[in-house]
Amino acid sequence: MGSQSVKPITNKTERKAFINHLLNDIEALDMMIKSDAFEKGIQRIGAEQEFCIVDKYYRPSFNALEILDKINDPHFTTELGLFNVEANLDPLVLKSRCFSQLETDLSNLVDKAHSAAQDIDDNKIILTGILPTFKRKDLVFENMTPHQRYKVLNDVMRKVRGDDFRVKVRGIDELILDHESILFEACNTSFQVHLQIDLDKIVDQYNWSQAIAGPILSVMTNSPMLLGRELWSETRIALFQQSIDLRNASQLLREQKARVSFGNDWIRNSIIEVFTDDVARYAPLVTADLTGNPIEDLKNGIKPDLKAIGLHNGTLYKWNRVCYGVHQNIAHLRIENRYIPSGPSIKDEIANAMFWVGVMLGMPDDCKSIWKRMAFKDAKGNFIKAARTGMDTYFNWFGKGISAKKLVKKILLPTAQDGLLKANVDAADIEFYLNIIKERIDKNTTGSKWLVRSSRMLQENVSRDEANILLTYHMHKNQLKNVPVSEWELAKPMARKDASSHDKVHKVMSTQIFTVNVNDSMRLIKNIMQWKQIHHIPVINDKNKIVGIISASDISDVNKFDNYSASQVMQKDIIAVNPDMDIDEARSIMLENNIRCLPILDNNELVGILTQTDLEKLNL
């Protein structure tokens, strides 16, 4: 939402005034479109890089403001969370070795960020779609960047929704949780790519960007997990929408369209339809001190900033977004790709950018007026399927079924190559970066596949929390080498001081927990313990809160307690600890209290159990 002094719309007068500004902007934009008042004959590319910040133990760090002060570079800015920063790259003319230059520029900015982060408590910069080491306790209001525009956006969205936000994502695992702020949105880090488009091409190009979104995303996914759960291949797509979803059964029908969306239909006549549709569908949430009249500015030869449109668009999130910009009184239009995740490496990101730009440039002539050949719901369905299953997706492509790998390798990579060559992009650059995409297909490896395979292998030997730390450690090491993910070895457990977390409980606790209800019979409980060969089982109430522990020693008389319920046998005075406690401290608690297990609670939720057997494995 830029640097304007943003404030919520609180009354009818403010709402009416803002809508008037918004309608003036729409009218001015329409005038500019009809008079063809935009730069033409030149294309530029640009990018925005979002980073995650971690501490020396690869857990989220909240030092964004201190790091930004240390960097002291106008290319960098804040993000919603104190564990994120963003770098805005200078736009480049689309020609010659512009993608090599983009990699150089990005590498220089990442190096600056790395250096500044390291100087502050040995923090580190990570390129990833969703940081593996996030915990729910990290995503609280206190860790939101303390700038007015973020607080206003959070307060307004929460007020419109009327209750907590809910995240519910089903993949291999399932995640269901309620949260009080929009900070879960900050889990998503992306590499946003911009492509300037001439006015006479932008309708067909925008439609084409929608048509190719699913196939493009399928070979770029890098966000398969959230809070340790395996979800979608690109979980960001589901999380982004749900983390700021304002829809509620009590709301008016007008607010029933999600503010994060793929879109609703093809654009047929003018690009103004994108902007008018947003005004028609979505109520304004925020305003600012807006002055001037863009229509009068146009009459006086001044290209207006269209600040009201910018503010309104700042509360909407399209995966492909049409952007208006003006520089030195020259206006332009561009398409911003927002679904490309951050990472896995800088080279991967530049390859992703080139692939998307190339396919955009290589749009076949018979894909103009694309609504004549493809249903919009096919494009939207392809996008959702790609987010769910990534490179394993089977697409509906112009009425025919085709796998993601075949579509990209046989059709879209050649399309990208042709488009880039016509734009006079350096042939060596084209071969180098597009080959990175090809190698992912040939080796069946994306960032998401690397993360999932590594996580599963690690969890054969270590806890889920420790696996997440190891994933982040290995990501960081590979990113420093700047090699594409197709060349990464799977993450392995290994002894390292810089990722040890001082031997915390989460490294050894068991996360595969069997629980029973307070009303369950002891006969059932004894059988579960025998079947699963476990000696301790937590007892929960109807609100899924732990209220007791039953140990094998409590039921040594096999038949005596069969007709009892868990509540009659369980130990009620339980001692629980958190996952970040030192193992030595947890061991001392067990010795002092003569107990052989400790429930592990994170944010008052049972996340694991630590037993004497777990400690004996460490030879303590």
Side-chain angles (χ1 to χ4, degrees), residues 575 577 581-598 610-613 615-616 619-620:
I575 300 172
V577 300
M581 178 178 284
D582 287 350
I583 292 175
D584 286 344
E585 185 179 352
R587 182 170 181 266
S588 296
I589 290 173
M590 294 170 72
L591 288 172
E592 291 169 6
N593 292 277
N594 194 29
I595 54 179
R596 294 184 63 83
C597 76
L598 287 171
L610 179 69
T611 68
Q612 190 67 37
T613 303
L615 296 178
E616 289 169 357
N619 296 319
L620 292 174

Side-chain angles (χ1 to χ4, degrees), residues 402-467:
I402 187 170
S403 69
K405 294 175 185 177
K406 185 175 181 180
L407 174 56
V408 171
K409 194 169 182 178
K410 300 297 185 182
I411 298 175
L412 295 184
L413 277 172
T415 297
Q417 183 174 11
D418 290 346
L420 292 161
L421 287 172
K422 289 176 183 176
N424 295 316
V425 174
D426 182 77
D429 271 10
I430 295 172
E431 182 178 0
F432 177 79
Y433 290 113
L434 291 188
N435 189 59
I436 291 175
I437 306 295
K438 180 178 177 294
E439 283 292 299
R440 287 184 208 157
I441 297 169
D442 289 344
K443 295 182 179 180
N444 191 30
T445 298
T446 58
S448 288
K449 285 182 175 288
W450 181 87
L451 282 161
V452 167
R453 290 168 184 159
S454 294
S455 178
R456 291 177 182 178
M457 187 171 72
L458 288 168
Q459 289 189 61
E460 293 177 2
N461 299 288
V462 301
S463 70
R464 185 168 65 190
D465 278 14
E466 175 66 1

